[in-house]
């Protein structure tokens, strides 16, 4: 037996889906199914920085992960960098940031929920005081689980006192998934 599975994202204007099953690859072949099911994919999203590297305009800005890999439920906004929980539950959230120092000082990367507060934080003081690309750093923020209320928002922000660090394109990601 061969177990076949997959996930397909519909176009944004889709109103319904249809599924066609064929019993045979060619006339005379046989095909059998003993168990089939369809399931709604849990709320989840994954996005990355593309186009150009992200540099905050001011301290406290949300990092814009502007290209989605997927967004089941359409709850992540690429224009703001904010995920909105469509329902109360437990979510696993993570972000990987590949950063050029840009002579940045007192830098913090924070994953924050609108009502639950800080979920994850990395504080760097003079550790990024360099203009050398050789000093590029990779950071991971994340939660094993976070209880979010319906409508609660989560974003990754950067704060700094001197010069904004550069968040590298195609190497920086933000994702989340409802786990219960």
């Amino acid at each position: 037996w061969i177990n076949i599975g997959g996930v397909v994202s519909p176009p944004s204007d889709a109103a319904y889906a249809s599924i066609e099953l064929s019993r045979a690859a060619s006339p005379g072949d046989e095909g059998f199914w003993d168990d089939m099911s369809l399931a709604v994919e849990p709320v989840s999203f994954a996005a990355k920085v593309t186009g150009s590297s992200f540099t905050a305009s001011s301290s406290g800005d949300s990092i814009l992960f502007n290209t989605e890999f997927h967004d089941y439920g359409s709850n992540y906004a690429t224009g703001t960098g904010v995920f909105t929980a469509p329902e109360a539950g437990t979510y696993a959230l993570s972000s990987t940031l590949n950063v050029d120092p840009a002579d940045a000082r007192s830098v913090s990367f924070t994953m924050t929920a609108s009502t639950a507060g800080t979920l994850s934080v990395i504080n760097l003081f003079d550790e990024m005081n360099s203009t050398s690309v050789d000093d590029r750093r990779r950071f991971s923020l994340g939660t094993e689980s976070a209880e979010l209320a319906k409508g609660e928002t989560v974003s990754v922000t950067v704060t700094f006192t001197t010069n904004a660090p550069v968040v590298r394109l195609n190497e920086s990601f933000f994702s989340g998934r409802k786990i219960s």
Side-chain angles (χ1 to χ4, degrees):
W1 294 93
I2 299 172
N3 185 10
I4 300 174
V7 175
V8 177
S9 296
S12 61
D13 61 348
Y16 68 93
S18 65
I19 300 171
E20 181 178 324
L21 300 174
S22 175
R23 292 187 54 121
S26 58
D29 288 350
E30 293 184 11
F32 298 95
W33 297 273
D34 64 354
D35 185 21
M36 295 181 68
S37 63
L38 298 175
V40 175
E41 178 68 18
V43 171
S44 67
F45 73 97
K48 70 177 181 175
V49 176
T50 63
S52 62
S53 295
F54 175 83
T55 304
S57 299
S58 59
S59 184
D61 283 354
S62 290
I63 297 171
L64 299 182
F65 300 89
N66 59 339
T67 299
E68 295 175 332
F69 290 109
H70 76 273
D71 185 3
Y72 302 131
S74 299
N75 301 298
Y76 178 75
T78 56
T80 62
V82 173
F83 167 73
T84 303
E87 53 196 49
T90 305
Y91 291 79
L93 301 152
S94 66
S95 182
T96 300
L97 304 165
N98 200 342
V99 180
D100 288 342
D103 199 23
R105 292 200 177 89
S106 295
V107 176
S108 293
F109 295 102
T110 308
M111 184 181 297
T112 307
S114 56
T115 58
T118 300
L119 301 176
S120 184
V121 66
I122 294 174
N123 290 311
L124 308 162
F125 296 98
D126 287 332
E127 295 178 45
M128 298 189 73
N129 184 8
S130 172
T131 56
S132 173
V133 172
D134 294 334
D135 290 335
R136 183 175 295 158
R137 306 261 174 92
R138 188 174 206 78
F139 304 104
S140 293
L141 293 168
T143 63
E144 288 185 17
S145 64
E147 293 297 322
L148 300 179
K150 180 178 181 176
E152 189 162 5
T153 59
V154 179
S155 62
V156 177
T157 59
V158 58
T159 56
F160 52 90
T161 57
T162 305
N163 298 324
V166 177
V167 179
R168 301 282 301 165
L169 75 149
N170 297 321
E171 301 172 16
S172 300
F173 308 91
F174 182 30
S175 64
R177 179 179 185 89
K178 184 171 187 231
I179 56 177
S180 67

